[in-house]
Amino acid sequence: MIPPQEASARRREIEDKLKQEEETLSFIRDSLEKSDQLTKNMVSILSSFESRLMKLENSIIPVHKQTENLQRLQENVEKTLSCLDHVISYYHVASDTEKIIREGPTGRLEEYLASMAKIQKAVEYFQDNSPDSPELNKVKLLFERGKESLESEFRSLMTRHSKVVSPVLILDLISGEEELEVQEEVPLEHLPEGVLLDVVRISRWLVEYGRNQDFMNVYYQIRSSQLDRSIKGLREHFRKSTSASGVPYSPAIPNKRKDTPTKKPVKRPGRDDMLDVETDAYIHCVSAFVKLAQSEYQLLMEVIPEHHQKKTFDSLIQDALDGLMLEGDNIVSAARKAIARHDFSAVLTVFPVLRHLKQTKPEVDQVLQGTAASTKNKLPSLIASMETVGAKALEDFADNIKNDPDKEYNMPKDGTVHELTSNAILFLQQLLDFQETAGAMLASQETSSSATSYNSEFSKRLLSTYICKVLGNLQLNLLSKSKVYEDPALSAIFLHNNYNYILKALEKSELIQLVAVTQKTAERSYREHIDHQIQTYQRSWTKVTEYISEKNLPVFQPGVKLRDKERQMIKERFKGFNDGLEELCKTQKAWAIPDTEQRDKIRQAQKHIVKETYGAFLHRYSSVPFTKNPEKYIKYRVEQVGDMIDRLFDTSA
């Protein structure tokens, strides 16, 4: 049971807590009432704000719409004013630009083209909007005048600044690839850079806006003239320089790089100096044409629209190309005339020219790519003509060697080498410089199927056959000519000299290798001919040595007195030998053997035979009393006879 005091204390504690809870509840109730009041006030304020906002919106929206309409109206007014200003400006174009157009584009191309653009737009506007207005005629006339001024400016720039390329510069171009295997070729500056830019701008404007192609004719006419004059200037320069001390460069010279400068070659005998000059000049001009035409095309590509480039270039090069072709035809005509008069040294001018044309043809074909067929066919046609006339020259030369008449007055009195032989060998030697060219000439005339696809080996065999034919004809003619001589010994010396000359000439050059392609035994055959003629010559001494040969000597016993008949026979032997020796030495001293080695060989062989025979004869009879005047018959010692023979074939002795 809880004591009364604890129960009383507990009750008080509970009562205190209850009192606190009541106070808290009362506070919460008061707070809720205040909150409700605040909420009511806020709702009242928001309702009032919403009402006012709706009133404001209803007032502002009509004002906003009115403002927007006003702005749109203002923009329309501004656009209308702008369009009006733009339209009005077209009416002022003529007056604004007339002064510039009248003064022309020189020195002010940028400003001039800007004015032309304004005029162009004005023309387009009036054509679209007011085709019957007088303003359209004004701007049209102004546009046409401006276009004409641009055309004139184009012509003026091209005329004033297109210069002939100097011969020295052309020669540098031709030979400029030397030691430039890596370095790029520097192009020619046909027009100053600023001028070229103006020319290109005018060209593009005339094509795009001027609808004009006449300027292309102006372009090719001016550039064509410069190209033609440049090549002709080179020709004149070359002729003058070659008449002095040498040639700055010659692609005609064999065994040289075609781009290597070199001095003029030693003039070959029988060649005309002027022909050499003309030939080298022509060859230079062909090389110059290739270089200059390539350069012209580079320039043309910048100035002329692409789809007009090939046609314009074709027209541009015609004069220069036709000039070269005409000169080439003249070379062919001159060769034909030379053939007719049997001047085959003059025909040789065709060979270096033809060789150079064929070497240059790939470059020419490249340059002429895209031109008309008639233009492309010009060089092949000239090459074909030259091959034909060259082959004709070779054929006629061989026939001429065969049929050269045996004119007695034209025969060398001393039996030396005939002019026909030296000319023939010289001609063949000169062909060595043009083996491929000459072989191709011969092959071009072949009609057999094998010739249609001939190669270098085929043409080499043809050339070998031809050379053997010439040598065979020459040998037959020399045999015929040798019969003009009454003395068989002189005839033999003549044939010996000519055969020996031919053989030595063959051996000193590549001719012997060419001959050997089709005739392996040619060298041996000539040596046999030479030996045979020496033997024929030696027989001329038989009539001298037969007087003193042992088989014809009288037989007598030593110590036995000679009979008159025997003494007389010995006297006749001495006299016959002496007279024959003197006669032969006198005659043969005037004969000639130009080859020192052969001359010594023939002398030594003859001296050996005669000295040996005469020595034996003299040994037998010098002490025999066959006469009271031995000095009358024993006129020469053995050494003297040898000395006399040593002076044979020596007109100076």
Side-chain angles (χ1 to χ4, degrees):
M1 186 144 180
I2 302 172
Q5 292 179 344
E6 286 185 19
S8 178
R10 188 169 181 83
R11 190 172 53 253
R12 282 194 300 273
E13 182 179 349
I14 293 170
E15 287 174 354
D16 289 340
K17 287 184 177 180
L18 182 62
K19 188 178 179 178
Q20 290 177 353
E21 292 293 334
E22 286 175 351
E23 289 175 354
T24 301
L25 182 62
S26 176
F27 176 76
I28 291 171
R29 189 178 290 112
D30 291 341
S31 295
L32 285 172
E33 287 177 358
K34 289 179 179 179
S35 178
D36 287 341
Q37 186 62 42
L38 288 172
T39 300
K40 288 178 182 178
N41 292 338
M42 179 60 71
V43 168
S44 175
I45 291 169
L46 289 173
S47 297
S48 175
F49 181 75
E50 182 180 9
S51 174
R52 291 179 180 180
L53 189 61
M54 288 181 66
K55 288 180 181 179
L56 180 63
E57 184 177 352
N58 291 333
S59 300
I60 289 298
I61 286 175
V63 173
H64 174 71
K65 288 182 178 179
Q66 284 182 342
T67 303
E68 187 177 5
N69 289 335
L70 287 172
Q71 286 177 339
R72 190 178 297 113
L73 287 172
Q74 184 178 358
E75 288 175 2
N76 289 338
V77 169
E78 288 176 353
K79 286 181 180 178
T80 302
L81 289 173
S82 176
C83 289
L84 191 58
D85 287 341
H86 184 65
V87 169
I88 292 172
S89 71
Y90 288 128
Y91 287 85
H92 294 293
V93 165
S95 58
D96 291 344
T97 60
E98 186 175 9
K99 183 172 182 290
I100 296 173
I101 299 303
R102 186 175 63 250
E103 291 175 352
T106 304
R108 56 196 294 184
L109 183 62
E110 190 75 31
E111 182 184 7
Y112 195 88
L113 290 178
S115 296
M116 289 298 292
K118 291 179 182 178
I119 297 170
Q120 172 74 14
K121 288 179 181 177
V123 169
E124 291 171 356
Y125 171 79
F126 288 122
Q127 282 178 336
D128 292 341
N129 298 284
S130 185
D132 298 325
S133 66
E135 283 77 11
L136 176 59
N137 291 331
K138 283 184 184 179
V139 289
K140 265 188 173 182
L141 287 172
L142 200 57
F143 183 82
E144 289 302 317
R145 189 192 305 169
K147 184 171 76 170
E148 289 172 4
S149 293
L150 283 171
E151 292 169 0
S152 297
E153 179 69 3
F154 183 89
R155 179 187 293 274
S156 175
L157 288 173
M158 291 299 303
T159 303
R160 282 188 286 120
H161 297 282
S162 290
K163 305 296 183 186
V164 172
V165 184
S166 73
V168 173
L169 184 54
I170 295 175
L171 289 170
D172 286 343
L173 273 179
I174 294 172
S175 59
E177 294 174 7
E178 182 188 11
E179 68 189 36
L180 294 182
E181 295 179 2
V182 180
Q183 184 176 341
E184 291 186 4
E185 184 177 328
V186 179
L188 280 173
E189 185 183 77
H190 292 291
L191 297 172
E193 185 177 354
V195 173
L196 177 59
L197 289 174
D198 284 353
V199 165
V200 170
R201 290 199 66 184
I202 295 174
S203 163
R204 290 176 180 170
W205 189 94
L206 289 172
V207 170
E208 186 174 355
Y209 300 108
R211 307 291 188 268
N212 176 286
Q213 297 182 8
D214 291 344
F215 77 94
M216 298 181 200
N217 296 333
V218 171
Y219 177 87
Y220 91 71
Q221 288 165 1
I222 293 172
R223 294 308 308 168
S224 174
S225 173
Q226 301 304 327
L227 174 61
D228 193 37
R229 288 170 60 195
S230 296
I231 293 174
K232 287 177 179 175
L234 173 65
R235 185 182 302 116
E236 290 306 312
H237 170 83
F238 191 83
R239 287 169 180 168
K240 290 175 184 176
S241 65
T242 49
S243 65
S245 58
V247 176
Y249 146 77
S250 177
I253 297 174
N255 303 322
K256 293 278 186 184
R257 282 183 51 176
K258 73 172 185 175
D259 53 0
T260 303
T262 179
K263 292 183 179 179
K264 186 171 182 177
V266 176
K267 178 180 176 289
R268 291 192 184 274
R271 291 290 298 275
D272 187 306
D273 276 332
M274 282 307 297
L275 284 176
D276 284 339
V277 170
E278 291 299 321
T279 299
D280 285 343
Y282 183 72
I283 286 170
H284 278 76
C285 289
V286 171
S287 295
F289 172 79
V290 172
K291 291 292 184 185
L292 292 177
Q294 289 170 341
S295 182
E296 285 292 344
Y297 194 74
Q298 294 300 316
L299 177 66
L300 179 139
M301 284 195 298
E302 297 191 62
V303 180
I304 303 299
E306 184 176 358
H307 53 289
H308 293 284
Q309 288 172 1
K310 296 293 185 183
K311 182 180 178 181
T312 305
F313 181 69
D314 196 341
S315 300
L316 189 156
I317 60 171
Q318 284 304 314
D319 285 349
L321 184 59
D322 286 345
L324 288 176
M325 295 305 105
L326 179 59
E327 273 200 78
D329 290 338
N330 290 340
I331 290 172
V332 172
S333 298
R336 289 197 181 101
K337 292 175 183 176
I339 293 171
R341 63 177 184 269
H342 295 165
D343 180 6
F344 296 100
S345 63
V347 177
L348 287 169
T349 58
V350 171
F351 287 76
V353 171
L354 177 57
R355 180 178 64 187
H356 188 65
L357 289 179
K358 294 179 81 170
Q359 288 174 343
T360 313
K361 185 176 181 296
E363 287 183 274
V364 175
D365 290 344
Q366 183 67 31
V367 168
L368 301 183
Q369 192 175 22
T371 58
S374 58
T375 303
K376 293 178 184 175
N377 290 336
K378 286 180 180 179
L379 181 60
S381 176
L382 178 59
I383 287 175
S385 295
M386 287 193 171
E387 284 191 325
T388 301
V389 78
K392 171 70 172 168
L394 293 175
E395 178 186 347
D396 282 20
F397 177 77
D399 291 342
N400 187 63
I401 293 297
K402 181 179 180 180
N403 301 318
D404 185 69
D406 305 328
K407 296 177 181 176
E408 188 172 346
Y409 65 84
N410 198 35
M411 293 295 290
K413 305 298 182 185
D414 57 1
T416 190
V417 178
H418 196 280
E419 183 183 9
L420 181 69
T421 302
S422 58
N423 286 344
I425 293 300
L426 175 61
F427 185 86
L428 294 179
Q429 286 174 332
Q430 289 175 315
L431 285 185
L432 284 177
D433 293 341
F434 310 101
Q435 292 183 43
E436 289 187 14
T437 305
M441 282 178 177
L442 296 167
S444 70
Q445 306 305 304
E446 290 287 313
T447 55
S448 62
S449 58
S450 61
T452 57
S453 58
Y454 71 89
N455 52 30
S456 58
E457 189 60 34
F458 176 76
S459 62
K460 190 173 184 179
R461 290 189 66 82
L462 283 178
L463 185 57
S464 174
T465 301
Y466 172 77
I467 291 172
C468 291
K469 176 183 177 181
V470 171
L471 293 174
N473 289 352
L474 177 60
Q475 189 172 334
L476 289 172
N477 199 319
L478 289 171
L479 278 171
S480 177
K481 289 184 186 303
S482 69
K483 296 172 183 176
V484 170
Y485 296 111
E486 295 180 0
D487 191 333
L490 180 54
S491 178
I493 290 296
F494 170 76
L495 290 175
H496 162 273
N497 284 334
N498 282 271
Y499 292 156
N500 183 65
Y501 178 87
I502 294 169
L503 178 59
K504 290 293 176 68
L506 293 177
E507 291 175 333
K508 286 179 182 177
S509 65
E510 295 177 26
L511 281 172
I512 193 67
Q513 286 91 342
L514 264 179
V515 168
V517 171
T518 52
Q519 284 196 12
K520 306 288 186 187
T521 62
E523 189 173 358
R524 186 180 69 192
S525 176
Y526 272 110
R527 294 195 187 283
E528 289 173 354
H529 288 318
I530 291 168
D531 289 341
H532 176 70
Q533 297 308 322
I534 291 175
Q535 292 167 13
T536 302
Y537 161 74
Q538 286 174 338
R539 285 199 288 271
S540 69
W541 283 83
T542 304
K543 61 184 179 181
V544 176
T545 55
E546 69 181 0
Y547 283 106
I548 56 173
S549 61
E550 191 172 346
K551 65 179 180 179
N552 294 326
L553 295 177
V555 179
F556 59 90
Q557 297 297 325
V560 178
K561 186 179 180 181
L562 295 175
R563 291 174 296 179
D564 290 344
K565 182 180 180 181
E566 290 173 336
R567 286 196 297 272
Q568 185 60 34
M569 184 178 289
I570 293 172
K571 289 177 182 178
E572 288 175 357
R573 295 288 183 269
F574 270 107
K575 186 176 186 306
F577 173 77
N578 292 336
D579 291 348
L581 176 65
E582 291 168 358
E583 182 185 348
L584 278 186
C585 286
K586 180 181 178 182
T587 301
Q588 295 184 9
K589 176 184 174 183
W591 298 354
I593 299 180
D595 188 316
T596 305
E597 183 182 343
Q598 285 291 308
R599 185 167 66 234
D600 290 344
K601 175 183 174 182
I602 292 172
R603 281 174 178 170
Q604 289 300 323
Q606 201 58 55
K607 187 164 65 171
H608 175 74
I609 295 170
V610 176
K611 283 178 67 177
E612 185 176 292
T613 307
Y614 181 63
F617 178 76
L618 199 59
H619 178 71
R620 176 175 293 191
Y621 293 105
S622 60
S623 58
V624 174
F626 66 92
T627 178
K628 293 178 181 179
N629 300 307
E631 66 279 357
K632 180 180 177 180
Y633 297 98
I634 306 175
K635 295 174 64 174
Y636 302 105
R637 300 189 308 276
V638 174
E639 289 72 18
Q640 285 178 302
V641 171
D643 291 343
M644 291 171 71
I645 294 174
D646 277 336
R647 289 193 290 273
L648 297 179
F649 319 117
D650 187 359
T651 55
S652 65

